[in-house]
Amino acid sequence: MAGLKKCLKDALLVLGGGGTLFVSYLTAAGDERFYADHLMPTLQRFVNPELAHFLSVKMISWGLVPCSRQKDLEMLEVRVLGKTFRNPVGVAAGFDKHGEAVDGLFCMGFGFVEVGSITPEPQEGNPKPRVFRLTEDQAIINRYGFNSQGHAAVEERLRARHERQMQLTKAGMPLGINLGKNKMSDAIADYTKGVRMFGPLADYLVINVSSPNTPGLRDLQGKKQLRHLLSKVLMEREALTCEHKPAILVKIAPDLTEQDKQDIASAVTELGIDGIIVTNSTISRPGGLQSPLRLEHGGLSGKPLQDMATRTIQEMYLLTRGKVLIVGVGGISTGQDALDKIQAGASLVQLYTALAYQGPPVVGRIKRELQDLLKEQGFTSVGDAIGADHRK
């Protein structure tokens, strides 16, 4: 509580005693240019990245962001995982780590929300500073290290709104829950505990074995380790007694060898995993990065990840023969970016870094641009465009 009070005090100091900037924020009511050209750059100038992230989640959870008035066209609707998604644009895990802002995120216009990663026991994550803006590159490097309030706190929060979530799911707004492991613990025990704890509350669960900031985690993407882990996860899912059992997805890294990708594709298809999230942040540093912070350790997300993630989607779509759902993530900030990933093979897409640079209105803009591009290119729906690159 003391930490929360300090952060709020810092925020008030930043925003000024008269709250001028905050009033401007509310007055803008979702104006895209105001956010991208004025508000977000100003906040970035005065607020460090982790505090900005913290405040963003709090403001969204308190309803202090403009709700989208844009009605999704039927052509944006996607039906996968046994659910209807009102549109294919979701928020990636890592933004709302503790499940605090789900309703506010849906209000902003997202078609689905994924919270987490959540670890069984609370943990602080890595030492600060651990988040860095690469403004010149429209990117972020983070090494949070699965900072989490733990299963119990997040489960209580999500259970309190479960009835509401069931109604939202029926209305085309599913909830995903991303599971992580504690720094020094047994992976199988942690992930299966997550399935037991959150299976009854989620429309889908994500087994995150690709964060670059937890020692040894990416080793779980190895052929034997991944098969063993996913087999145990599926057994735990089948043992759930809830009426609607969640889909199981696995989130992979972009930094994989060709053999790694083949092994993952083989495992998910043979075991019957419901989907793959492609991709997490990268530990590589693509050429051309301009920011002096580019050599900070951690996972790089944002614009520089865009092409790498899209190529990985194309490869995984081919390796799975288009039979496994793909959620595309990495560098999405425009409707064209979203369509590129859909045509590469993604049925759904997620964003995160674009929120940091363009603010909440980016969600509506991406959807509007996407539907215009679909019409221009002769697609009647998102479904028609999925994997279109492979049919040329």
Side-chain angles (χ1 to χ4, degrees), residues 61 96 98-107 112-115 153-169 173-177 200-203:
S61 72
D96 186 7
H98 315 306
E100 300 171 281
V102 177
D103 294 308
L105 289 165
F106 279 128
C107 183
F112 63 109
V113 170
E114 186 176 315
V115 302
V154 181
E155 192 272 349
E156 181 179 5
R157 188 173 294 127
L158 294 179
R159 184 166 295 282
R161 59 172 301 283
H162 183 51
E163 293 295 327
R164 173 168 174 72
Q165 182 55 52
M166 288 194 294
Q167 295 304 312
L168 288 170
T169 298
M173 289 168 273
L175 175 69
I177 300 178
L201 301 175
D203 293 302

Side-chain angles (χ1 to χ4, degrees), residues 58-364:
K58 288 299 178 186
M59 292 172 73
I60 293 169
S61 72
W62 294 335
L64 299 178
V65 293
C67 278
S68 173
R69 298 176 183 176
Q70 178 180 333
K71 182 173 175 58
D72 292 332
L73 297 183
E74 189 176 343
M75 70 185 310
L76 291 182
E77 187 174 282
V78 181
R79 297 181 182 181
V80 290
L81 302 177
K83 308 290 180 185
T84 297
F85 291 69
R86 65 174 180 175
N87 71 70
V89 183
V91 62
F95 182 76
D96 186 7
K97 289 175 174 286
H98 315 306
E100 300 171 281
V102 177
D103 294 308
L105 289 165
F106 279 128
C107 183
M108 284 165 51
F110 283 110
F112 63 109
V113 170
E114 186 176 315
V115 302
S117 295
I118 309 166
T119 60
E121 300 301 323
Q123 62 178 29
E124 291 294 322
N126 292 323
K128 299 177 183 180
R130 54 193 181 180
V131 191
F132 308 89
R133 293 190 195 99
L134 282 64
T135 306
E136 300 88 339
D137 306 297
Q138 292 290 288
I140 289 174
I141 291 175
N142 91 80
R143 50 174 181 261
Y144 271 120
F146 278 171
N147 55 312
S148 175
Q149 293 179 3
H151 280 182
V154 181
E155 192 272 349
E156 181 179 5
R157 188 173 294 127
L158 294 179
R159 184 166 295 282
R161 59 172 301 283
H162 183 51
E163 293 295 327
R164 173 168 174 72
Q165 182 55 52
M166 288 194 294
Q167 295 304 312
L168 288 170
T169 298
K170 289 179 182 178
M173 289 168 273
L175 175 69
I177 300 178
N178 188 299
L179 304 176
K181 69 176 288 292
N182 285 112
K183 190 171 183 179
M184 304 297 292
S185 63
D186 177 72
I188 290 175
D190 279 8
Y191 286 113
T192 53
K193 183 177 180 181
V195 174
R196 289 194 301 274
M197 180 73 79
F198 293 104
L201 301 175
D203 293 302
Y204 70 86
L205 295 173
V206 181
I207 307 303
N208 186 353
V209 291
S210 53
S211 169
N213 303 311
T214 295
L217 187 74
R218 287 192 168 188
D219 294 342
L220 295 172
Q221 295 173 119
K223 184 176 182 178
K224 287 179 63 177
Q225 298 95 318
L226 186 63
R227 278 181 177 273
H228 185 51
L229 171 62
L230 294 180
S231 295
K232 295 294 185 182
V233 164
L234 289 172
M235 289 173 61
E236 201 66 51
R237 193 265 305 268
E238 293 310 307
L240 293 173
T241 57
C242 51
E243 182 179 356
H244 300 291
K245 296 179 181 179
I248 301 292
L249 284 67
V250 61
K251 187 167 186 174
I252 67 172
D255 313 296
L256 296 168
T257 67
E258 294 307 311
Q259 187 61 56
D260 289 336
K261 294 170 191 172
Q262 291 175 24
D263 291 341
I264 291 170
S266 175
V268 299
T269 52
E270 291 174 18
L271 292 173
I273 295 297
D274 299 295
I276 313 171
I277 298 185
V278 185
T279 67
N280 213 316
S281 55
T282 179
I283 57 174
S284 71
R285 296 295 179 263
L289 293 177
Q290 300 298 311
S291 172
L293 296 173
R294 63 187 179 275
L295 297 180
E296 287 287 347
H297 295 294
L300 173 73
S301 63
K303 214 62 177 165
L305 179 59
Q306 182 180 346
D307 292 343
M308 183 187 302
T310 303
R311 284 195 303 272
T312 308
I313 291 167
Q314 290 171 332
E315 292 167 342
M316 296 309 295
Y317 184 86
L318 287 172
L319 289 168
T320 59
R321 299 179 181 179
K323 295 180 179 179
V324 178
L325 169 85
I326 293 175
V327 181
V329 199
I332 295 174
S333 62
T334 68
Q336 185 64 62
D337 298 337
L339 183 58
D340 288 345
K341 285 183 167 49
I342 290 167
Q343 291 183 297
S347 298
L348 303 168
V349 297
Q350 292 177 322
L351 58 92
Y352 175 176
T353 302
L355 280 175
Y357 285 101
Q358 300 183 45
V362 71
V363 184

